[in-house]
Amino acid sequence: MRTEKDKNIPYKVYLDESEMPTSWYNVRADMKTKPAPLLNPGTMEPMKAEELAGVFCEELIAQELDDDTRDYPIPQEILDFYKMYRPSPLVRAYWLEEKLQTPAKIYYKFEVTNTSGSHKLNSATAQAYYAKKQGLKGVTTETGAGQWGTALSMACAYLDLDCLVYMVKVSYEQKPFRREVMRTYGATVTASPSDTTEIGRKILAENPGTTGSLGCAISEAVEAELVRDGYKYVLGSVLNQVLLHQSVIGLETQTALRKIGVEPDIIIGCAGGGSNLGGLISPFMGEKLRGEKDYRFIAVEPASCPSFTRGQFAYDFADTGKVCPLAKMYTLGSGFIPSANHAGGLRYHGMSPILSQLYHDGYMEAVAVEQTSVFEAAELFARCEGILPAPESSHAIRVAIDEALKCKETGEEKTIVFGLTGTGYFDMVAYEQFNNGSMNDYIPTDEELAKYAATLPPQPAE
Amino acid sequence: MRTEKDKNIPYKVYLDESEMPTSWYNVRADMKTKPAPLLNPGTMEPMKAEELAGVFCEELIAQELDDDTRDYPIPQEILDFYKMYRPSPLVRAYWLEEKLQTPAKIYYKFEVTNTSGSHKLNSATAQAYYAKKQGLKGVTTETGAGQWGTALSMACAYLDLDCLVYMVKVSYEQKPFRREVMRTYGATVTASPSDTTEIGRKILAENPGTTGSLGCAISEAVEAELVRDGYKYVLGSVLNQVLLHQSVIGLETQTALRKIGVEPDIIIGCAGGGSNLGGLISPFMGEKLRGEKDYRFIAVEPASCPSFTRGQFAYDFADTGKVCPLAKMYTLGSGFIPSANHAGGLRYHGMSPILSQLYHDGYMEAVAVEQTSVFEAAELFARCEGILPAPESSHAIRVAIDEALKCKETGEEKTIVFGLTGTGYFDMVAYEQFNNGSMNDYIPTDEELAKYAATLPPQPAE
């Protein structure tokens, strides 16, 4: 399908290091309706910087609360670290196009040229840097599937910062390789719930056989930070600051597309807490918000955890343990536990407040897809493009393929860009189930969703 | 340590697709003493093309036997496939230099920008291509650690060729992820010994509890090819044709170094069967053989399997099962079983005949290193350069660090280049042992080596 016109477009577009973005882009600056502020669940008033300072680093709080500054210069030390794995390539999926016999032009931003196996490093580096700059000794965090924990471990190893990771016990046991990668980078990895915290001991006493949950691991990581001098807690998704750091994905994509003279029509990303989707689309969304360009943005979520497509737009707790502030977002209710879906990174009940507001205001679409069709897309992609994608990223692949097949029917030569933000090396248990035909997916019923929606906290007065 | 002089040298040098090599380089053309020919163990005469045709593809046999043609144009279809993951970056290890406080300049050719996790794809693609071109239906092979099997599965998926992989049973069970990656690419993976072949059934009857060996898997793969119409057997290392295909590594390295105006002093690679070392050094070795340049070449092997440093230069069987022709090479004896060393790719009793001849003629050095010191180097490298290296590649890292530390003592600003040919994602069991302090290494005694050396077959008359 590589036409004469395509001859000038290589398989991979690499930027020079001199073309890397030197500022992050804050999409909030261009939003007419800003994302709703975080609320203190006790007072129902917007959280102030002083209140957040007990948990988060100062500079990161400033970024979290800043709806106005459009461009944030990236500190030189972070720029240098980024050169360990950035710029990342923008790849033209010539083989996938050929396989699908589609007139669509498909590109993907391949973010997985680093050992952590995902895009998470873009924010982990920044958060570790600001912790170091504030003179801290270390950071604490939780990790589920392990991508965030690995990324943070790498950043801390580089900056010589202590790193305490609470890893959901079921993952700690079922993903020993992830655990050992973190240890190789020098992190202290503890299965959660553990006997190292009050809350952990309490949960263990009540449920001796529990395999843990992300909500519990968050509570332990926050407690571990509070009882230690010189430690702060960090988080890898959902927050505004994370989307700010991840904008480096979209900025590089924009530069690469301009370099080859290509205008995208549709931009697609998978959505769990929103960190990769938000990062990829931010600068393009900015153009749309400013009325300069028009693009279709599609968020793809698992049918087993459909925050955008079947959730409520309301204030809710960001964590299951209800220790975090309230955020206004698309949510299934903080008590919602998705079925055992292998795309661990997408199993979050809520969604980035920024993306939630943009979706609510009609700037973005969302679709939910089933796991088996996601793995069909993953296998097809692996066989013709060579890369074994993570289950999370494969959600975006599924919809990119669907859109390309629509073009085949209509004959339209649309340009599709999607984010490929993870590799599947640590997800082979899921692939094995798919290979064996034993994979299934569970889609929650309306009744189940209504039950959890009824647990939303009281909403603030309008 | 990044000096003013280095400012023009980026962290990563990427070639344009237009700068990729269009021919492979055959180092045999420049060797005064050619590698000794393969011998038929029955007649002790050099193997003829007709004799090899029962097992191998025609075009590959021609390449195997050709000591004279210097440049082999790479077919367009292979060049296109190479663009899936090539050109691969040449990386300046600024952070490692900083960490070591060495005046040495360290570069590594990072070959692991593809899902198979190693450089093996460079030859797998070529071998699958020639099989397809010959009108074959499929290929058979064996795999131990699984890197070669994965690479071949990827190439066969791309070319729509059937792929039968006999995987050593112990790896089949202990590395289920590798197995499932191959299946995702459509390969049929069978634990060896199996009941699908005569030889497999025979071995199982004699040793019902056996966990298999590479020698047995080779025998099964060869039998599987012989009993099927339209199938040939392929092999991922040792052979001359494999070194020819792998020369793409060295050719890209040479182009990248010229682009930034850098002359290497020392070139280092790990050596199992010789495929990556041979590929990396070939074009540089050509310059040395032609008297145009001088470089130090260092082969690094595990102390547990020291073919170069403690083996014999003699004719020996290439496989444990003694079904293959005799090759003249550095060998520990075809019955030698290395201790349970995690660098599966380096556990081969013999060595490429080309590299063996070059080593014998004094063009190359070799050192053997112990596993624990290899993992110390791997951990240091991971923490400062970000990449988690495979145990095999970490042998080269160990010696690159040692040479850089020598420069620190002498103050010499040598330029060191090494090959980073695999990532460690599927080797976390070994890393876990290292993290836990339970790793050990076994170095064979002189008596043990003498015992195996005594099993060498009768040598041909001089």
Side-chain angles (χ1 to χ4, degrees):
Chain A
M1 304 296 282
R2 195 174 187 182
T3 63
E4 267 316 304
K5 214 170 63 181
D6 290 332
K7 282 283 155 62
N8 294 325
I9 298 181
Y11 286 74
K12 295 197 191 75
V13 184
Y14 276 104
L15 302 179
D16 289 335
E17 282 167 13
S18 61
E19 295 170 302
M20 285 171 66
T22 54
S23 296
W24 292 304
Y25 166 68
N26 182 6
V27 72
R28 285 168 286 169
D30 284 312
M31 290 170 72
K32 280 178 209 87
T33 310
K34 308 292 181 189
L38 297 173
L39 295 188
N40 179 321
T43 64
M44 294 304 269
E45 293 293 321
M47 292 289 285
K48 296 190 190 72
E50 312 86 85
E51 295 174 279
L52 291 167
V55 178
F56 295 117
C57 301
E58 289 156 22
E59 185 75 25
L60 294 168
I61 295 168
Q63 293 176 1
E64 189 65 29
L65 301 177
D66 181 357
D67 286 345
D68 304 310
T69 308
R70 185 180 284 179
D71 299 302
Y72 264 87
I74 306 174
Q76 188 60 44
E77 200 161 351
I78 298 179
L79 278 177
D80 286 345
F81 183 93
Y82 277 173
K83 287 176 190 160
M84 190 181 277
Y85 64 102
R86 309 202 68 86
S88 68
L90 179 74
V91 187
R92 174 72 181 268
Y94 282 119
W95 294 290
L96 182 61
E97 294 172 19
E98 177 77 33
K99 186 81 181 175
L100 300 175
Q101 291 287 306
T102 173
K105 315 293 179 193
I106 309 174
Y107 293 85
Y108 56 94
K109 179 68 170 167
F110 186 57
E111 276 294 302
V112 208
T113 46
N114 74 83
T115 288
S116 77
S118 82
H119 64 291
K120 295 283 184 184
L121 200 50
N122 297 327
S123 184
T125 309
Q127 296 194 44
Y129 168 79
Y130 290 116
K132 184 81 181 177
K133 198 177 154 212
Q134 198 177 317
L136 298 179
K137 285 184 224 159
V139 291
T140 72
T141 201
E142 78 291 333
T143 201
Q147 293 179 333
W148 167 247
T150 309
L152 191 66
S153 304
M154 287 179 67
C156 287
Y158 180 74
L159 290 163
D160 198 19
L161 208 58
D162 196 24
C163 183
L164 308 182
V165 180
Y166 287 84
M167 187 173 189
V168 177
K169 189 184 264 177
V170 62
S171 296
Y172 182 93
E173 286 164 1
Q174 289 184 355
K175 297 203 170 187
F177 293 177
R178 273 275 177 212
R179 182 186 77 209
E180 296 305 325
V181 174
M182 290 185 259
R183 285 187 175 150
T184 297
Y185 283 99
T188 302
V189 187
T190 306
S192 169
S194 73
D195 60 5
T196 67
T197 66
E198 287 279 351
I199 182 83
R201 287 189 290 272
K202 182 162 173 283
I203 292 168
L204 281 173
E206 287 166 8
N207 303 289
T210 181
T211 54
S213 72
L214 212 47
C216 167
I218 292 177
S219 306
E220 287 205 85
V222 171
E223 183 183 323
E225 171 264 307
L226 291 172
V227 300
R228 279 176 178 79
D229 276 344
Y231 285 71
K232 293 289 172 195
Y233 169 73
V234 295
L235 184 66
S237 193
V238 184
L239 297 175
N240 297 339
Q241 55 179 278
V242 175
L243 265 70
L244 175 68
H245 307 147
Q246 294 293 357
S247 68
V248 70
I249 304 173
L251 291 162
E252 277 189 11
T253 304
Q254 206 172 38
T255 306
L257 286 170
R258 280 180 190 152
K259 202 169 174 177
I260 53 173
V262 168
E263 286 274 355
D265 298 298
I266 309 174
I267 304 176
I268 301 168
C270 63
S275 70
N276 102 71
L277 177 69
L280 173 63
I281 69 173
S282 274
F284 299 97
M285 182 63 83
E287 294 179 293
K288 183 165 175 167
L289 290 167
R290 296 192 299 271
E292 298 161 9
K293 292 276 176 66
D294 194 18
Y295 305 106
R296 277 181 68 200
F297 300 106
I298 308 178
V300 190
E301 58 187 15
S304 58
C305 192
S307 319
F308 269 134
T309 52
R310 297 174 70 198
Q312 312 292 316
F313 185 49
Y315 266 105
D316 195 7
F317 286 97
D319 65 313
T320 318
K322 303 189 180 183
V323 301
C324 293
L326 296 174
K328 189 168 182 188
M329 57 185 177
Y330 279 85
T331 177
L332 298 165
S334 66
F336 179 79
I337 309 278
S339 75
N341 182 308
H342 294 285
L346 305 183
R347 300 182 67 211
Y348 181 62
H349 69 276
M351 185 54 66
S352 142
I354 292 175
L355 294 182
S356 294
Q357 190 64 50
L358 290 167
Y359 179 65
H360 183 72
D361 293 343
Y363 289 104
M364 204 170 82
E365 306 163 39
V367 293
V369 291
E370 290 183 42
Q371 183 163 245
T372 309
S373 78
V374 164
F375 275 82
E376 281 162 8
E379 181 184 275
L380 176 68
F381 184 81
R383 290 187 184 182
C384 62
E385 289 287 321
I387 294 163
L388 187 82
E392 289 85 351
S393 317
S394 303
H395 285 69
I397 297 175
R398 172 74 272 165
V399 173
I401 289 176
D402 291 344
E403 290 293 330
L405 291 175
K406 281 182 207 163
C407 289
K408 187 176 176 178
E409 280 182 26
T410 62
E412 288 175 291
E413 287 192 21
K414 286 190 181 161
T415 295
I416 299 168
V417 176
F418 71 89
L420 185 54
T421 53
T423 44
Y425 304 122
F426 295 103
D427 302 290
M428 292 316 297
V429 172
Y431 273 97
E432 182 173 8
Q433 288 184 5
F434 179 71
N435 292 340
N436 292 342
S438 64
M439 172 167 284
N440 52 42
D441 200 15
Y442 180 77
I443 302 171
T445 63
D446 289 341
E447 291 68 32
E448 283 170 291
L449 292 185
K451 188 187 84 184
Y452 288 106
T455 67
L456 289 177
Q459 300 296 302
E462 284 298 310
Chain B
M1 305 297 282
R2 195 176 187 179
T3 62
E4 267 317 301
K5 214 170 61 182
D6 290 331
K7 282 283 154 62
N8 295 325
I9 297 181
Y11 286 74
K12 296 198 190 73
V13 184
Y14 275 103
L15 301 180
D16 290 335
E17 282 168 13
S18 60
E19 295 170 303
M20 285 172 67
T22 54
S23 296
W24 292 304
Y25 166 70
N26 182 7
V27 72
R28 284 168 286 168
D30 284 312
M31 288 170 73
K32 280 178 208 87
T33 310
K34 308 291 180 190
L38 297 173
L39 296 188
N40 179 323
T43 63
M44 295 303 270
E45 292 294 320
M47 293 288 287
K48 295 190 190 72
E50 312 84 85
E51 293 175 281
L52 292 167
V55 177
F56 294 117
C57 301
E58 289 157 22
E59 186 75 25
L60 294 168
I61 294 168
Q63 294 177 1
E64 189 65 29
L65 300 178
D66 181 357
D67 286 345
D68 303 310
T69 309
R70 185 180 284 179
D71 298 303
Y72 263 88
I74 306 174
Q76 188 59 44
E77 199 160 352
I78 298 178
L79 277 177
D80 286 344
F81 184 92
Y82 277 173
K83 288 177 189 161
M84 189 180 278
Y85 65 102
R86 308 202 70 85
S88 69
L90 179 74
V91 187
R92 175 70 182 269
Y94 282 119
W95 294 290
L96 181 61
E97 294 172 19
E98 177 77 33
K99 186 82 181 174
L100 300 175
Q101 291 288 307
T102 173
K105 315 294 180 193
I106 309 174
Y107 293 84
Y108 55 94
K109 179 68 170 166
F110 185 57
E111 276 295 303
V112 208
T113 46
N114 73 81
T115 288
S116 77
S118 81
H119 64 291
K120 295 283 184 184
L121 200 50
N122 297 328
S123 184
T125 308
Q127 296 194 43
Y129 168 79
Y130 290 116
K132 185 81 181 179
K133 197 176 154 212
Q134 198 177 317
L136 298 179
K137 285 184 223 159
V139 291
T140 72
T141 201
E142 77 292 334
T143 201
Q147 293 179 334
W148 168 247
T150 309
L152 191 66
S153 304
M154 287 179 68
C156 287
Y158 181 75
L159 291 163
D160 198 18
L161 208 58
D162 196 23
C163 182
L164 307 182
V165 180
Y166 286 85
M167 186 173 189
V168 178
K169 190 184 263 177
V170 62
S171 296
Y172 182 92
E173 285 164 1
Q174 288 183 356
K175 296 201 170 189
F177 293 177
R178 273 273 177 216
R179 182 185 79 206
E180 295 305 325
V181 174
M182 290 185 258
R183 286 186 175 150
T184 298
Y185 283 100
T188 302
V189 187
T190 306
S192 169
S194 73
D195 61 5
T196 67
T197 65
E198 286 279 352
I199 182 83
R201 286 189 291 272
K202 182 162 172 285
I203 292 167
L204 281 173
E206 286 166 9
N207 304 289
T210 181
T211 54
S213 72
L214 213 47
C216 166
I218 292 177
S219 307
E220 287 205 85
V222 171
E223 183 184 323
E225 173 264 308
L226 292 173
V227 300
R228 278 177 178 79
D229 277 343
Y231 285 71
K232 293 289 172 197
Y233 169 73
V234 295
L235 184 67
S237 193
V238 184
L239 297 175
N240 297 339
Q241 55 180 276
V242 175
L243 265 72
L244 175 68
H245 307 147
Q246 294 293 358
S247 68
V248 70
I249 305 174
L251 290 163
E252 276 189 11
T253 304
Q254 205 172 39
T255 306
L257 287 170
R258 281 182 189 152
K259 203 169 171 176
I260 54 173
V262 168
E263 285 274 357
D265 297 298
I266 309 175
I267 304 177
I268 301 169
C270 63
S275 70
N276 102 72
L277 177 69
L280 174 64
I281 69 173
S282 275
F284 299 96
M285 182 62 84
E287 293 179 295
K288 183 165 176 166
L289 290 167
R290 296 192 300 268
E292 298 163 9
K293 292 276 174 65
D294 194 19
Y295 305 106
R296 278 182 68 200
F297 300 106
I298 308 179
V300 190
E301 58 187 15
S304 58
C305 191
S307 319
F308 270 134
T309 52
R310 296 173 71 197
Q312 313 293 317
F313 185 49
Y315 266 105
D316 196 7
F317 286 97
D319 65 314
T320 317
K322 303 190 180 183
V323 301
C324 293
L326 296 174
K328 189 168 181 189
M329 57 184 177
Y330 279 85
T331 177
L332 297 165
S334 65
F336 179 79
I337 309 278
S339 74
N341 182 309
H342 294 288
L346 306 182
R347 301 181 67 210
Y348 181 62
H349 68 275
M351 186 55 66
S352 143
I354 293 174
L355 294 182
S356 294
Q357 190 64 49
L358 290 167
Y359 179 65
H360 183 72
D361 293 343
Y363 289 104
M364 204 171 81
E365 305 164 37
V367 293
V369 291
E370 289 183 43
Q371 183 163 244
T372 309
S373 78
V374 165
F375 274 81
E376 281 163 8
E379 182 184 274
L380 175 69
F381 184 81
R383 289 187 185 182
C384 64
E385 288 287 322
I387 294 162
L388 187 82
E392 290 85 351
S393 317
S394 303
H395 285 69
I397 297 175
R398 173 74 270 165
V399 173
I401 290 176
D402 291 344
E403 290 294 329
L405 290 175
K406 282 183 205 161
C407 289
K408 188 177 176 176
E409 281 182 25
T410 62
E412 288 174 292
E413 287 192 22
K414 287 190 181 160
T415 295
I416 299 168
V417 176
F418 71 89
L420 184 55
T421 53
T423 44
Y425 305 121
F426 294 104
D427 302 289
M428 292 316 298
V429 172
Y431 272 97
E432 183 173 8
Q433 287 185 5
F434 179 72
N435 292 341
N436 291 342
S438 64
M439 173 168 283
N440 53 41
D441 201 13
Y442 181 76
I443 302 172
T445 64
D446 289 341
E447 289 68 32
E448 284 170 291
L449 291 185
K451 189 185 84 184
Y452 289 108
T455 66
L456 289 178
Q459 300 296 303
E462 284 298 308

